[in-house]
Structures are given as structure tokens and as C-alpha cells.
Amino acid sequence: MKDCLTIRKYVEKKALCLLFLFVPVMSAAQQGAGWEAVLGEMAALEDEPEAAFEEMHDVLSAVAEHPININAAGRTGLERLPFLTDRQIEDIQEYIGRHGVMRTTGELQMIPSLDNARRRLLECLVYAGEPPHDGRRPLSESIKNGRHTLVATAKIPFYSRKGDINGYLGYPFKHWFRYDFDCGYRLRAGVVGAHDAGEPFFSAGNNTGYDYYSYYVVMRDIRPFETIAVGKYRFRTGMGLVLGNSFGIGKTAALSGSSRSGAVIRGHSSRSEAGYFRGAAATARLSRRIKAGVFVSHRPMDATLNADGTAATIITSGYHRRPEEMAKKNNTHAAAAGLTAAYSSDGIHVGATAVYTRLDRQLRPKTGAVFRQYYAAGSDFVNLGLDYGYIAGALTFRGETATDRHGAIATINTVGVTVAGGLSLTAVQRFYSYRYTSLYAGGFSDGGSIRNESGLYLAADWNISRRVSLSAYTDFAYFPWPRYRVSGSSKSADNMLSASYKAGAWTVGGRYRLRLRERDNEQKTALVPRTEHRARVSAVYAGPAGYWNCAAQTDFSQAGGDDVSRGWMFSGRVGHRRPCFSVSLSAAYFDTDDYDSRVYLHESGILHTFCFPSFHGNGIHCSLFATASVWSGMTVNARLAHTAYFDRSTIGSGYQAIDSSSVIDLEVQARMRF
């Protein structure tokens, strides 16, 4: 048996080496030059992508299906693109106003505040069409010209988990559907049904079929309302200290500024079972300078209960595979209401937000651990926030200050300046009291939450020429109260430097990230430093449509203190695209000492799915992605992924344990548009 295992490992390794001989010569990514590849690069800079990237991917998927006419979009249309800052939107509008029209998207290079990543995203999502004619198109005409889209997806594993054999209530297949009725900017409606592997279907508590449903209707420009949302939706104001349950894109987003000012409402069209409201919301422009918004919500949540029936923690995973998980489903409810108001004139913005939330169970976290002592507690929550900003020439200033019912303060302030020569500088200061609590906060932080953190972030983004760009940031954070695995006050430093060079169809890039943190020693008597190094070198050849492209990438990682953990990965992708058919193959070999030195890989994925797996240990990973237009309006996508480990005989633990050293997954998707 051991001899067979040895032969198998030898064959797999040799086959991989042979594959990599071809990858640098003819490798490609089916979406290597598309918006998904750019978003993947932005996520890769974060090393550990947040769930926020899933939301970003979902929104941009919808825009990609209906690209925006940049000459007709106006400010409200450009605000559909969540990666743009206020400064960038102002500069685009100013450019179009000065020249009358943007003739090609290549003119985006003339806007200095646009860094390379955002410019490339824009080129994929907008087009330079005819300028708008006088008068608005009636809503009835928009509805008549609307398009229906139905997407059905299934993920089939060619293996069994421990829970699939004994423990899970349902079968091992994951599947979901999504229906959208899209009339462009003015009206969008949809329904989503999602089912995770192991969850029951039409049984054991899920009598309506899918474990999770989302539904929404979003209307815009229905005067006097700017936006009206009914069903499940997301609402964000200011910089997210009070209402941040939309998304940001990590520290890389702050290279040219932070979140936009004003209220933003979007339909909750993703499969995430957290971070949304259920009810109705609206924003209206009361005058040329004043805008107001309101929302009401009542939604169920999952919670782990204490013996007295109070809630110990709010659960956001959305898994209901085992009887104990199903027992927690929708066992707590939250009612919320909020008001927003904003004034803007001549580059000045001032806004206010007030939110009240009541839980039908008292939230009482277990405070035996010191780091949980100031977690959100009680059944009534009140948050007030004031956001402000000023844009003048090359200078941008923005900030928000918020408080909770106990008077605890959270504040964040940013200053950005665009210097001649394509250089943008940004500074972000924040102070989040360890006593501050908000159930819906989400914004810029190093610790992952809007509490218990003070910090200063400095960044520079320099587009030296159309070919060369440099980006760098340094972020220092201080955490006054103990955190998980940190028994006292601690600090951290995060530093990143990246560069890219583009020559014709070739793009060569590199980046290095250094993170310094503190953690308890084994005896929990003192804090010990933890250092993390991550480096990446990549080369991409993006040939014309219909030709082979190529991409290759090498990653290095080192983490730890006295116990250093190292890892590396080499990956490549090969593919080809035609108008009605495309295919891509990716492969990677990874070798890391443990989980601390894990590596990440962005891959082509099926629609509405952000594919960014991580790997640790020693093994190979391969995936084959193909898409074909079967007939007019019908597209079929498929992704086959295989991961084989050389250093273990089982994968995972607990109910997710797989009694094998390799796994194979198949995802199949059909999309119909009519």
C-alpha cells in the first residue's frame, strides 16, 4: 500500500512539472484581462479577502451584464460603481463637462485621480456612447425593454465528508438559483434561493425548499425619490461607523480615498445570510442641496442561546446542516429604523444618521474572557453619526464621528491630495473606543471591527507613466483593550509596496507585504511579536480576443515569531476565448509549513461566485473552467477543480473531515436571458 502511495505521489509531481513547462509559454486566464481579474488582484493585496469582496463581485456582475454609458450616467449613475471615490466621480464629471463628451474609454487615462486598478475596472464596465438626450425615458418604457435573467447552479463533490455519512440533515450537493428583472438603472427586481451542502431540502425545518431566500425590488429616479427599496436590501451612510452593512474593499481601497459620502441603498442580491435589512428604505432629494433617507426593517437572525434564553452571540455563517444548527435558525429577531439627512454645496458635505435597534432577546455575551467584556450587550441599541467632507481642487477631506447610547465615541478622518505627475497621497486617522458598539458598523480597520482601535494610515499611489505604477502604504494600529489571543494592550504595523510595468500586451508586477503583530505566549504571561512576510511576482500576457494569453505567478510567505513558518506557491493559467466558447486551465503547486504560512490563489469562477481559495501543506491544485453559448440567450458554465495533498491522508476536521488525500468538485451553471 505504501509503495502504491509513493508511486502515486511521484506521478502527480512529475505530471505537474511537465504542465509547468508549458504554462509560462502559452498559459492564460479566460478572464485575465476582465474586471474579475482586476478585482482578484485587489483582493490578493489583502492576502485574506473579506466577505466584502463577495458583495463587490455580485454588484459588478450585474453592471458587467448592462455596461454603463459614461456620457449619460451622471453622478448617480457612476455611484453604482462602489469602487469609485467622491474625488474620482467629481473628476470624471468635470472632464466630460469640459470636453462635452468622452469619445473612448482610453480617455480615462487623462483623469489623474484614477489609479490603474480602478481605471482598468472602469474600462471593463463602462462604454463611451452617445450623450443623453433631453428628457427622461418613462419608467413604463424602461420596464418594457427590461431583460429577464435566470441562473441555476449546482456544485457536486466527488467525495464524502464525515457529516455526509452521519451528522448532516441533507445531501452533500450545494445548489442555488437567481432570477433578475433588470431595466438598467431605474428598476431592478430579483429573487435568490440558496442551499448549502448538508442542509435539508423540503424537510427537517426547511419546508419551503431552499434554506435561504432573498427578494428585492429597487427603483431609482422616481421623483422626488432617488432610490426606493422593498424586500431585502443593504444601506450604507457616511464612512460606515453607524451603517456600514454594504461593503468596502480593504486597505487597498484607501489608496485614493475612503468610502463615499451620502446614503447608498442596494438590493441584497447575494447569497450571504448576514449584513442585510428586510423591509423598506428610501432616499429623496428635498432640494438641490438637501437629501434625506429613511429605512425600517424587521428580520430574523441566528443566535447561540444562554441557559436563561438570552442570546450569547449572533451567528452569521448561515449554516443549518446539523440538528443543533437548525435549532438556532431564526431564533432571534431584530427590528430597526433609521433616518439620514445630508447637505451638500460647493464641495462641502455634511450628513447625519440616527439608528435605533431592538432585539426580541437580550444580547448577553459570555464575559468570562476579558476580551468580550465590552461586546455589544442589551436589547436596545442607539447610534448617532455625523459625517462631513470637503472637495476643492486636488484636496479631499472626509470624516465621520459616531456615538452609541453609552456615549462611547468612534471617529475616522481622511485627507487625500492629488499631486502633479499622477501622484496621490492619502492619510487616514481613526479612533474607535473599546466601549463603542454598533450592530451594523463596517469600515476601515486593521482589527476587523469598529471598536478598540486607534491608528494612522499613510498611502501613496503613483502612476509614473502609462506603463509604470507604484503603490505603497504603512498602517500603524494600537489596541488598548485585550483581544482574542492577546491578553493586554497591543499594537500592529502593516506595510505594503507594489509595482507594475505594462508594455503592450504584457504586464509584469510584484508586491511585498510586511505585517507586525503581537500575541500571547504559550503561558499567557507576556506578548510576543509575530511577523508575517508575503511577496508575489507575476507576469501576464493579455493577447487580443480569440488568441492565447498567458499568466504565471510565484508567491512566498513567512510567518511566526520564534517558530518560523514558511511557504511558497507557483501557479499558472492557460486558456482561450472565442465569441461563443472559452476555456481556461489553472494549476498550482504549493508547499507551506503550516496554516500560518498559507497562500492564496484567485481563479476564474462561475457567475456570481468569487473564487479565492487558500492552501497550506504540500500539494497541487488544478481547475478547468469552460463557458459556451448553447443558443441565443442560453449560456452554460462549468468548473472542475482538483486538489491533491502529498502530506496527509485526510483533509479537514470534525464533520467536514474527508477520508482522502485529494478532492474533486464540479460546478455546473446554466444562464438564460430573455
Side-chain angles (χ1 to χ4, degrees):
M1 185 68 181
K2 290 183 178 179
D3 292 338
C4 292
L5 182 60
T6 302
I7 293 172
R8 177 188 171 191
K9 290 181 178 179
Y10 178 83
V11 171
E12 286 178 328
K13 288 188 175 182
K14 290 300 181 182
L16 182 70
C17 292
L18 289 173
L19 174 63
F20 281 148
L21 290 176
F22 294 96
V23 165
V25 178
M26 53 180 288
S27 62
Q30 176 260 343
Q31 297 163 328
W35 65 269
E36 290 180 286
V38 181
L39 183 62
E41 293 173 11
M42 299 174 76
L45 289 176
E46 295 301 316
D47 288 316
E48 192 166 357
E50 305 170 0
F53 281 93
E54 289 279 0
E55 296 296 327
M56 175 74 79
H57 187 278
D58 185 73
V59 171
L60 298 189
S61 293
V63 176
E65 292 183 359
H66 301 275
I68 297 172
N69 180 358
I70 197 168
N71 291 315
R75 180 178 180 86
T76 54
L78 291 175
E79 285 178 345
R80 293 177 59 193
L81 302 172
F83 56 84
L84 290 179
T85 66
D86 276 334
R87 170 79 276 162
Q88 291 160 349
I89 292 176
E90 289 285 341
D91 288 350
I92 293 172
Q93 289 295 98
E94 181 183 350
Y95 181 90
I96 295 175
R98 186 188 314 122
H99 297 280
V101 66
M102 186 176 289
R103 293 174 176 81
T104 69
T105 56
E107 295 180 48
L108 291 170
Q109 299 186 33
M110 306 300 295
I111 299 174
S113 61
L114 280 176
D115 55 88
N116 282 340
R118 286 174 178 78
R119 178 177 55 78
R120 290 164 59 198
L121 278 174
L122 271 178
E123 290 175 345
C124 298
L125 300 170
V126 304
Y127 67 97
E130 292 295 324
H133 301 289
D134 295 335
R136 294 185 306 159
R137 176 182 295 180
L139 181 59
S140 58
E141 183 179 343
S142 297
I143 294 175
K144 182 179 179 180
N145 296 325
R147 300 200 67 175
H148 305 266
T149 304
L150 179 62
V151 179
T153 306
K155 182 176 183 179
I156 305 168
F158 291 91
Y159 53 86
S160 295
R161 303 177 182 87
K162 179 181 177 181
D164 297 328
I165 301 171
N166 183 18
Y168 289 160
L169 297 171
Y171 44 77
F173 309 112
K174 176 179 180 178
H175 56 91
W176 54 271
F177 79 90
R178 172 178 176 141
Y179 165 77
D180 284 302
F181 177 64
D182 198 327
C183 302
Y185 175 70
R186 298 196 65 190
L187 174 65
R188 188 182 179 198
V191 179
V192 177
H195 175 92
D196 290 312
E199 293 177 336
F201 192 63
F202 282 110
S203 64
N206 284 337
N207 297 328
T208 58
Y210 284 93
D211 179 73
Y212 168 76
Y213 289 95
S214 183
Y215 43 87
Y216 60 91
V217 177
V218 178
M219 295 176 286
R220 293 185 173 90
D221 200 17
I222 309 297
R223 295 177 181 172
F225 296 101
E226 283 195 343
T227 307
I228 302 174
V230 179
K232 294 186 178 182
Y233 59 90
R234 289 175 172 259
F235 200 118
R236 183 185 178 95
T237 62
M239 300 186 70
L241 301 190
V242 175
L243 284 177
N245 72 338
S246 185
F247 50 75
I249 48 176
K251 291 182 179 179
T252 55
L255 289 173
S256 296
S258 285
S259 305
R260 294 200 298 261
S261 56
V264 178
I265 301 174
R266 294 186 178 90
H268 182 61
S269 56
S270 78
R271 302 186 302 279
S272 171
E273 299 185 35
Y276 65 86
F277 292 115
R278 187 182 69 175
T283 58
R285 185 162 292 281
L286 305 182
S287 68
R288 188 169 62 90
R289 298 179 177 179
I290 300 176
K291 185 168 71 171
V294 61
F295 78 90
V296 292
S297 170
H298 185 271
R299 55 154 296 189
M301 298 186 297
D302 297 358
T304 299
L305 303 184
N306 296 312
D308 60 0
T310 58
T313 56
I314 302 298
I315 302 173
T316 59
S317 67
Y319 290 128
H320 306 112
R321 301 162 298 187
R322 295 179 285 119
E324 51 268 41
E325 290 177 338
M326 184 60 72
K328 299 174 184 178
K329 183 177 180 179
N330 299 341
N331 62 2
T332 304
H333 292 77
L339 296 170
T340 69
Y343 171 86
S344 58
S345 175
D346 299 326
I348 298 175
H349 167 86
V350 179
T353 304
V355 177
Y356 171 74
T357 303
R358 181 174 180 82
L359 304 180
D360 64 350
R361 292 182 187 272
Q362 188 177 33
L363 186 58
R364 186 180 297 171
K366 297 179 180 179
T367 56
V370 179
F371 69 88
R372 293 197 189 102
Q373 183 170 337
Y374 292 103
Y375 276 18
S379 56
D380 296 274
F381 300 87
V382 177
N383 290 94
L384 304 174
L386 180 68
D387 60 281
Y388 37 84
Y390 178 64
I391 300 177
L395 178 67
T396 301
F397 168 73
R398 188 174 298 108
E400 183 177 17
T401 300
T403 184
D404 60 14
R405 62 173 180 169
H406 301 295
I409 297 294
T411 184
I412 181 170
N413 299 278
T414 75
V415 177
V417 60
T418 302
V419 185
L423 176 62
S424 298
L425 304 175
T426 303
V428 181
Q429 171 273 332
R430 74 268 191 195
F431 167 77
Y432 308 144
S433 169
Y434 59 84
R435 296 175 180 267
Y436 180 76
T437 58
S438 173
L439 298 182
Y440 313 114
F444 187 95
S445 72
D446 185 76
S449 63
I450 307 301
R451 60 179 299 275
N452 188 32
E453 180 176 326
S454 300
L456 177 64
Y457 168 94
L458 302 173
D461 186 67
W462 190 13
N463 296 319
I464 300 174
S465 67
R466 294 185 179 183
R467 295 184 176 184
V468 182
S469 64
L470 293 174
S471 298
Y473 71 71
T474 182
D475 184 32
F476 175 80
Y478 174 70
F479 311 97
W481 193 257
R483 301 188 299 151
Y484 177 65
R485 301 182 71 179
V486 183
S487 299
S489 301
S490 62
K491 56 185 179 296
S492 71
D494 185 6
N495 309 275
M496 190 276 292
L497 173 65
S498 70
S500 67
Y501 174 78
K502 183 174 178 61
W506 281 96
T507 301
V508 180
R511 60 103 171 171
Y512 169 71
R513 188 174 187 181
L514 169 63
R515 306 195 73 176
L516 306 172
R517 294 179 174 179
E518 294 179 320
R519 186 185 297 177
D520 287 338
N521 59 13
E522 292 184 3
Q523 297 76 26
K524 296 186 178 181
T525 57
L527 297 181
V528 294
R530 303 284 296 182
T531 305
E532 183 178 298
H533 303 267
R534 291 188 179 273
R536 169 172 295 162
V537 179
S538 62
V540 176
Y541 174 77
Y547 290 86
W548 295 95
N549 300 329
C550 66
Q553 177 176 297
T554 303
D555 291 81
F556 302 93
S557 63
Q558 177 177 306
D562 297 332
D563 52 337
V564 175
S565 169
R566 296 183 177 90
W568 67 279
M569 176 177 66
F570 182 75
S571 60
R573 293 173 291 185
V574 56
H576 192 62
R577 166 175 284 186
R578 289 291 183 181
C580 297
F581 176 79
S582 64
V583 62
S584 67
L585 170 68
S586 67
Y589 174 81
F590 55 91
D591 187 5
T592 79
D593 292 337
D594 53 33
Y595 180 77
D596 287 343
S597 55
R598 63 195 177 278
V599 288
Y600 295 89
L601 177 66
H602 176 256
E603 293 186 311
S604 300
I606 59 177
L607 292 173
H608 307 292
T609 300
F610 189 60
C611 189
F612 207 106
S614 65
F615 306 99
H616 69 277
N618 178 231
I620 61 171
H621 172 80
C622 303
S623 69
L624 177 66
F625 177 84
T627 179
S629 297
V630 182
W631 63 75
S632 178
M634 171 66 81
T635 303
V636 176
N637 303 313
R639 179 177 180 269
L640 182 66
H642 174 232
T643 304
Y645 293 90
F646 307 138
D647 60 347
R648 69 196 70 174
S649 58
T650 60
I651 302 173
S653 60
Y655 286 96
Q656 291 290 96
I658 302 168
D659 189 19
S660 175
S661 62
S662 64
V663 292
I664 299 177
D665 289 284
L666 173 64
E667 292 179 277
V668 181
Q669 181 182 77
R671 183 186 69 165
M672 182 184 299
R673 301 186 66 186
F674 53 96

